[in-house]
Amino acid sequence: MSLLPHKHMLGLEGYSEQDITTIMDTAERMREILERPLKKVPTLRGITVVNLFFESSTRTRTSFELAEKRLSADTINFSASVSALSKGETLLDTARNIEAMKIDVVVMRHRSPGSCHFLAKHLDSIIVNAGDGCHEHPTQALLDMLTLREKFGTLKGLRVALVGDISHSRVALSNIIGLKTMGANVILCGPATLMPRGIEQYGVEVTHSLDDAIHRSDALNIFRIQLERQDVGLFPSLREYQKYFGVTRARLEKAVAPLTILHPGPMNRGVEITSDVADGEHSVILRQVTNGVAVRMAVLYLLAGGHPELSEPKP
Amino acid sequence: MYTKYSRFDKPERAKDLFLEGARVVDPRSGIDQVLNLHIRDGQLKVGLSEPPQGTDVIALRGHIITPGWFDLHVHFREPGKEVAETIESGCHAAMNGGFTGVACMPNTNPPLDNAGTINWVVEQAKPFPVKLHVIAAATRERNGKELVDMSEIVECGVRAFSDDGAPIRNSVVLRHALEYSNMLGAKIFQHAEDSDLVCGGSMHEGEWSTRLGLTGMPGVAEAIDVIRCIQIAEYTGTAIHICHISTKGAVEWIRWAKKRGVRVTSEVCPHHLLLTDAHCKDYDTNYKMNPPLRSEEDRQACLDAFMDGTLDVYCTDHAPHAWEAKAVEFDQAPFGIVGLETAMGLALTHLMPHVLDFNALLERVVYAPCEILTLPIPRIADGEQANLTIIQPDAVYKVDPSKFRSKSQNTPFAGWELKGRARGVICRGLAFIKEA
């Protein structure tokens, strides 16, 4: 059984402060493994994990795959381009077929919100959400939080601003839920057209002034702005976006104390973030990537590690 | 002894039938008392104390008989999606749910936009005690541009036109549709929605859509189109019917318009009176329909408007979908739920008596639908054609979709404990009466 009071990780909704702390503590131990010369432990030997990616996401998939391999799980990658989906098969049939091949864990990226919940309802496997549409991306939020905790020691009372497209960001929602659960203060900064309706229910502050957000924060988590949002008129132009919501060194220098800079990647350099900020001394963007592998190892270990097949390996 | 009436596929001719001991309620005829009804060759005789020789006697003590219930908004999928519903299975569902009349929306494939197809559909329902009325498409192929041949279609008996599933977006087309159909004594049924505002959405926009990461359909999209319809109807002096109202804003505009004397009528579905957007929390596609489940505030406003008569009609928007069509990701699933076989139980259990008394309920399910379609009002009186719904008000049961007669089971009400069900229907000289 899972070492957390959850079978799946569908999102951070429902995960308690204790659960998140357990994951982060475990991830720190996992990170130590990543720094060894021999970066592999037998923890998930005999466990089969399928990475079911219906949207291409090389970065997240690679991170999960590495985490799985470091823990000695057997991994299979399944991506939409080579799947039966192009033949019109439903998600349910695809998933059932995969499960019939005796899979223990399904890591899924899918463009439909709630697709992981849907899978969890129909399959026995452990489901880990690697991003479901504009809903949640829990492991990304966990690695963001781990990176912040590493830097600041605690998340309690920390002031974190999430900057950019909040409406269409699965990373934003998971970060909001996670950070609020951990006692951080969350400020959302972006154009009004990219703020989801009713987001105040999470106890977050909303500002449309980047200077205001910078002034009141200890860290900025900057989200990628997607070009297709401009096509549907959610903001007038990239130029205007860059001018008012792009994070630049000049803007950051107005802050009382230096701000820690996070970005879930991939970055549009020169749009939402300038290179001098992305590569500057307060950027922890690459640390996020390292922590990503550690967090995913922790999640897989905690969810699948207590699996009967694992704790009592069969001869 | 009356098992021969219980067959869905072959309802018996109600040649000589004696319904004994039921409470007969027909407010418009001023009847509410225990009365025996005798039906011979489909014709009613009220108040005989003894069954004439050779009649089939059906003991209905503890039952209620009312004029036949009418569902003003259903989707039978034939032609096109027979895997989800056929006219036959839809009629079975109506019989099982206690409805003797249904108005079928034209968004089939091909759509019901010409006399030939419409006549064919009406013909399919002939073996059943269900009067099937077609609401024809307002525009050719529901394209929102050119009007259908309205005069010819009205000659087939059609009383209303609608592009339901989508609104008539173009105000010029809407104006002409209203003027032309009203000239023929027919109405336009508008699916009120600003299509641009709801584009790409799969549930009501609000706190829940944000929590679930689903694209929202703002409630104002409905209110905006309702006021547009009202303004055009008032300007042209025409009558318009607005489908499945779900928001407080729309309710307020309709109330305002009725006060001004605009000829607007409207309808509401059980799910908008009983469920809210919070039910979408587990991404169960049986809570996905259009208009979507709204906020609690909207639901309360609809209940109030249903109570005070601002919303004239209780209808189901019966929208069958095959299991495999709904067993997909929430945003990929089609809109719609079935309703014919739960509407009566839900009304009797959850809307009576605190929202409506029984007479007011009959206004919403019998009289108003007929008036909106300018059909004769079914009455329980000597010499009338029997058009009756038989209700077993004390039956307590759990909603079990596997027992539905509809081909589809996509209901959010599975497992609900209800009190009161349809026992049978008699209409067009045909009787269908279930086992007690």
Side-chain angles (χ1 to χ4, degrees), chain A residues 13 90-92 96 110-115 117-118 121-122 132 134-135 173 196-199 201-202, chain B residues 205-215 281-285 323-324 326-332:
Chain A
E13 171 131 359
T90 64
L91 171 60
L92 187 53
R96 280 178 172 170
H110 193 286
R111 69 189 175 90
S112 292
S115 47
H117 300 67
F118 173 77
K121 231 183 298 181
H122 293 283
D132 60 332
C134 306
H135 183 221
L173 191 60
R197 198 172 169 81
I199 195 71
Q201 67 183 308
Y202 289 103
Chain B
E205 183 174 86
E207 289 189 356
W208 275 101
S209 62
T210 293
R211 278 178 78 162
L212 298 172
L214 290 164
T215 307
K281 65 177 165 35
D282 296 322
Y283 299 94
D284 182 341
T285 57
W323 178 86
E324 58 271 19
K326 280 287 203 179
V328 295
E329 305 87 312
F330 196 90
D331 59 348
Q332 302 296 307

Side-chain angles (χ1 to χ4, degrees), chain A residues 138-210:
Chain A
T139 55
Q140 177 69 45
L142 286 165
L143 74 88
D144 292 347
M145 289 193 286
L146 179 64
T147 308
L148 286 168
R149 192 178 80 165
E150 197 179 14
K151 175 96 183 179
F152 292 95
T154 178
L155 297 173
K156 194 152 273 153
L158 193 68
R159 302 172 305 166
V160 183
L162 311 180
V163 182
D165 182 354
I166 309 298
S167 274
H168 303 91
S169 172
R170 45 187 165 239
V171 183
L173 191 60
S174 287
N175 257 286
I176 291 167
I177 295 169
L179 286 167
K180 291 304 290 185
T181 304
M182 300 310 289
N185 298 318
V186 178
I187 298 172
L188 306 180
C189 176
T193 43
L194 297 175
M195 282 297 159
R197 198 172 169 81
I199 195 71
E200 304 78 11
Q201 67 183 308
Y202 289 103
V204 295
E205 284 180 67
V206 174
T207 178
H208 305 302
S209 155
L210 182 57

Side-chain angles (χ1 to χ4, degrees), chain B residues 89-102:
Chain B
S89 68
C91 286
H92 288 182
M95 286 152 62
N96 200 28
F99 290 90
T100 64
V102 292

